[in-house]
Amino acid sequence: METNASTASTMSLASVTIEVADVEAARRFYAAFGVDQHIRLRESEADSTGFRGFTLALTVSGPATVDAFLDAAVDAGATVLKPAAKSLWGYGGVVQAPDGTICKVATSAKKDSGPATREIDEVVLLLGVEDVKASKQYYVGRGLTVARSFGGKYAEFAADEASPVKLALYKRRGLAKDLGVPTDGTGSHRVVLGSTAGAFTDPDGFAWEAATRLGTVSPRESAAS
């Protein structure tokens, strides 16, 4: 494993905006799911089919909390893609929100040390990319700092106080397999990332825009709370 978190990042992921057809319905879902403080929502009818190439991953304290978040998602209209189960790495499951966004909830713990809570330890935006090494170097060139890297399989970037969500890269085919969906997909990713270093589009088509404060969003965009 390669680690490099000693240098301060000159760019950060300051916001994550999910594009949805019905903002109010999506707002109700993400509030019920417990991530309304971490994301924004924006109305969009952009064409998108199949796997959109990303997932919103929640890390929590134990299996009971995983189950509680997944149950809340299903009660709010989500579809189960992979039921919660033990794995080599811990315990987790995958659901798809009514707007199509895929969400994973997991823990490294295989046994509970206490009752279920509504606390989220970490939220990660995991982008599925064709070439992890090339995308990692692209983002390093943009000013992000690598926190952890596993060769050409996975890369995670350091976050700071301006980053409500951590950014990570995973090979697209491997991510789709992990989520339990076919890898094929076309059209919009239906996610826009807020950058502290201006607007650009990465080699895999993920769009970044200049970050704005939550209090300055446009009428067609809202915080999920």
Side-chain angles (χ1 to χ4, degrees), residues 103-223:
C103 304
K104 180 176 182 178
V105 188
T107 177
S108 59
K110 296 187 179 181
K111 293 183 179 180
D112 288 307
S113 58
T117 72
R118 289 284 288 174
E119 295 182 6
I120 299 172
D121 296 335
E122 187 174 70
V123 180
V124 180
L125 180 67
L126 195 54
L127 304 184
V129 300
E130 291 302 320
D131 187 327
V132 172
K133 287 185 177 180
S135 292
K136 178 181 70 174
Q137 290 307 312
Y138 174 84
Y139 279 115
V140 168
R142 284 279 175 179
L144 288 181
T145 299
V146 177
R148 293 191 299 163
S149 179
F150 296 88
K153 296 182 178 181
Y154 177 84
E156 183 179 291
F157 298 100
D160 58 27
E161 294 181 357
S163 304
V165 178
K166 183 175 289 186
L167 179 67
L169 308 174
Y170 196 21
K171 195 167 183 63
R172 179 186 172 96
R173 187 174 297 277
L175 180 59
K177 181 178 179 181
D178 181 63
L179 299 174
V181 298
T183 189
D184 296 334
T186 60
S188 173
H189 290 294
R190 288 286 190 98
V191 66
V192 179
L193 294 72
S195 164
T196 56
F200 60 93
T201 300
D202 81 358
D204 292 277
F206 288 98
W208 290 69
E209 64 186 12
T212 58
R213 298 192 309 275
L214 282 175
T216 60
V217 297
S218 68
R220 295 180 68 245
E221 178 180 277
S222 71

Side-chain angles (χ1 to χ4, degrees), residues 25-45:
R27 181 190 62 78
R28 291 191 294 271
F29 171 80
Y30 289 108
F33 190 42
V35 297
D36 48 309
Q37 299 300 314
H38 300 279
I39 64 169
R40 298 173 177 179
L41 300 170
R42 178 182 300 165
E43 183 180 356
S44 174
E45 297 286 351

